[in-house]
Amino acid sequence: VTDVSLRDAETGREYPGRIELEAGTGLFGFSVTSRQLECLQRWADRHASADVAIEIDTSAPMPVVSGALEGRDGGREVWMTAHLCHPRPSANDNASGVAALLGVGAALASARAEDRSSAADRTIRFVWAPEFVGCAALLHSHTDPGRGGLWPLAAINLDMVGEDQASCGGPFLVERDPACRPSPIAPVAEHVVERVFATTPTPPGAWGAMAYAGSSDHALFADPKLDCAAVALRHAPDRFNHTAADSTDKVCAAEMRRAAAAAAALALVVAGGDAVSWPAVREVVSAWTTKELADARRVAHAHTGVDGGAWSRGLLRRAARQAAELLALAETPGTFGPPPGGEEQSEPGARPRVRGCWSGPLNLRAMIDGMPASGRAELSALIAADERNRAVLSNFAIRADGTRDREGIVADTSYALKRPIEAGIAARLLEALFESGWVVESEPEGSIGAGRQGVAEPPEGVAG
Ligand SMILES: [Zn+2]
């Protein structure tokens, strides 16, 4: 019995929060308010006892629902996802994403019914499923080579999109792709969100962009090895998230419309077709790179004291390289990513390369479960001390693609997050990857002693 509760400063009311137990545990738990816990504690002190009958229904199904608006060319699809699961009331997380995606589907379908010429080139697939596992299952069956399945070209995830900003406390956010490979998806996403907010001045609302954190379904598509461009639309922070206070009174109808409009516009641009002007997309990309370079100069200037200025110089080098790659990519209409496998090493040198040995999307939770108990406890403490460390870990993991050494992974992640990562924390998080057995080090190709710790077989439980 625990009180991970939330006290609403305005009303003084207290709401039970969500507790998470390990998968397959024989334990059960109760989440209560602190007042209830105090009461229970008083009774326990007086040696009161309680008999509790727990019934767990492990047969309850959670559906994977999907539908598609067929495109004209039958090639790789654009996926839009919203997760169905979560303890109630879960109004914003994630009934809001589910409802907004239904709205997107209805709007795009009726637009097409009115005007056949509005059909996109690529199929847009809508996916409502339990978070992570549902999308993973659908991807697994959909991309089966035996059935001619193709990996999606892009994914747009809607998770916590309806927040009333005034009460929940966080802005509307575009969570970018991990920026390991160039893609116009984040520039276009930020452009449509900017336009949506510019055309809906009331109620007032803020929006912004954030670096890849990978805490929802888009993480399944974001691994750069998988050749898919993925972004998420969301709000953060939300002071009511994962508590009994995430109820419909925290949802703002105008914000729902903003989210649905932005998601629909983004999907249409990525899906391509007569309605999309690629020169306009190129202009958006060009303006975005100019802004990003200016931002990199600002961040670099603020960190000139780190490593004698080396971090700032690295950040500027990476920003310039990324801008050049993105502008070059945008020369080819309809392209949302380069062909896979063309990525260069981020840092030259003869140090061992770090390589993940799982196939398919990364399952970060299973990776953490693969760690020895002591390492897992230490990692939990690191994440509890600073929630941003989870995002750092997931950024590290997807960069373990055999082209970078340890330093290269840390540097590239810190540039994507636009902040230096403290050396001790970086070392500890990297070590966690190795402890899980999912990541190994091997000598760069051509050097003496290649394959020092080469692993041919993926660790147990990694399949699928
Ligand atoms: Zn959630």
Side-chain angles (χ1 to χ4, degrees), residues 183-415:
S183 172
I185 195 163
V188 173
E190 287 164 38
H191 176 73
V192 296
V193 171
E194 190 268 326
R195 294 311 305 150
V196 160
F197 274 86
T199 49
T200 56
T202 47
W207 76 275
M210 62 173 283
Y212 174 75
S215 51
S216 181
D217 278 321
H218 54 291
L220 293 168
F221 305 85
D223 185 334
K225 293 189 285 298
L226 303 177
D227 185 26
C228 179
V231 289
L233 303 181
R234 54 180 294 205
H235 284 81
D238 173 353
R239 67 170 66 98
F240 305 112
N241 187 229
H242 292 172
T243 74
D246 183 12
S247 42
T248 47
D249 55 313
K250 313 302 186 310
V251 181
C252 166
E255 200 77 351
M256 288 288 289
R257 282 193 289 274
R258 284 168 174 158
L266 175 60
L268 282 177
V269 174
V270 182
D274 299 338
V276 181
S277 148
W278 194 260
V281 173
R282 225 169 31 218
E283 245 173 68
V284 165
V285 168
S286 167
W288 188 86
T289 52
T290 305
K291 208 168 60 165
E292 277 297 288
L293 286 169
D295 197 39
R297 283 193 290 274
R298 182 187 58 77
V299 176
H301 187 73
H303 292 89
T304 44
V306 179
D307 292 340
W311 187 85
S312 293
R313 288 191 296 277
L315 175 74
L316 291 173
R317 267 201 310 276
R318 184 188 190 270
R321 196 190 71 205
Q322 256 187 344
E325 285 175 354
L326 187 51
L327 289 169
L329 188 83
E331 287 302 315
T332 313
T335 310
F336 276 82
E343 203 182 333
E344 284 177 33
Q345 294 164 185
S346 59
E347 297 288 326
R351 283 182 293 251
R353 300 280 175 252
V354 181
R355 184 167 57 82
C357 42
W358 64 88
S359 62
L362 169 67
N363 182 343
L364 193 71
R365 191 175 290 208
M367 175 185 264
I368 293 172
D369 285 347
M371 295 175 62
S374 60
R376 222 165 46 221
E378 205 185 322
L379 180 65
S380 302
L382 272 181
I383 291 171
D386 186 348
E387 181 59 36
R388 295 180 307 169
N389 286 336
R390 190 197 303 276
V392 174
L393 184 73
S394 112
N395 271 278
F396 280 0
I398 60 168
R399 281 173 171 78
D401 61 355
T403 68
R404 299 179 180 86
D405 59 19
R406 291 177 187 236
E407 256 178 47
I409 287 178
V410 176
D412 198 60
T413 299
S414 72
Y415 300 148

Side-chain angles (χ1 to χ4, degrees), residues 18 83 86 93 131 159-160 241-242:
R18 184 175 82 169
H83 74 78
H86 268 27
D93 185 10
E131 197 172 14
D159 189 357
M160 303 170 67
N241 187 229
H242 292 172

